[in-house]
Amino acid sequence: IQNVWSSFEKVISLYAEVPRVIERIAKISKQMIREFGSFTEPFIVPLIELLVKGYRRKPTSSFMYAAGIAAARYGEEAKYVPLFLNMLEEFCAVTFSFLNSPEAFTDNPLIVEDLFTMGDRCVKAMPEALVPSPVFASLFECACFGSLVEHQQASHALLLFVENSILLGVRNPKRDLLRPHIESAMAKGGQMLVNNIVAGMAGQLPTTVLISRTDGSLEMALDAVCQFIQSDEQLRAVLQTALKSQGCAHVNTALASWFVEGVLSSSHSASSRFSDYSRIIEQFSDRARLRLNRKV
């Protein structure tokens, strides 16, 4: 590793603006971290500094991919938490400077995918440190804003980050500590998020991101929201507002009402909650897409 390290620095310095070269560096970094374990530890701090420096020079998604692998491996160790928090802040500061419109999300799908994959790995590794920090609130708001990104892998990564972040306030052993911060993030971007999720289900996004049990999906992201919101009245209001948004203009009153009551009813079904919920999502999506095609 010592012999390779000096070459890393030179290659990143010389070829930071060549994505294919940086992609190879990211893959080598991943293999080093995963295969050599503790032997890579002395190089973690300089590696992260090098990746951030390279991303500042030329934003390339592979820098974040490699950084996310390192966070997943070492982020649980208290001594590295400040390093990875600062790393995430640095990557976000650069990314938010150009990821500032719906079109920018669609035009930069690899950046979106690796930003939220990195964010998801950081949330899993160090939730107690990350969730109360300002960078989490900013990243979650960014996810809400861009949740209609029209790219399958980018959408999966973003929605998985959203799902796992929200569920920290439901299932995590430290949920009482984390929930107030997630509530604050939801208060800022939650309605926009649900608007986009429901619009995506209704036809604004392809069916490839509708259902998934392993990757992020519209179905699982909305389910996380439903679990997080503890009041039926509040959940009903959030869903009704989403169905009145521009992305659901083709959804008629009868279908909207059926969807809201179906989602609420499935949340109270002890024995078949998720199967009932999935059926509601699929049927709503099919009916809404049919109406959208007719209108078009």
Side-chain angles (χ1 to χ4, degrees), residues 146-167:
S147 47
L148 272 179
V149 57
E150 295 182 25
H151 184 275
Q152 184 174 340
Q153 284 72 36
S155 184
H156 281 315
L158 184 153
L159 292 169
L160 187 61
F161 166 78
V162 164
E163 175 193 344
N164 288 332
S165 295
I166 293 173
L167 289 178

Side-chain angles (χ1 to χ4, degrees), residues 216-229:
S217 66
L218 297 168
E219 175 196 37
M220 297 303 291
L222 184 62
D223 183 57
V225 172
C226 292
Q227 291 186 59
F228 187 81
I229 297 177

Side-chain angles (χ1 to χ4, degrees), residues 213 219 266 269 271-280:
R213 300 294 184 271
E219 175 196 37
S266 68
S269 177
S271 60
S272 57
R273 186 192 76 83
F274 200 78
S275 61
D276 289 347
Y277 169 77
S278 294
R279 177 179 53 79
I280 296 292

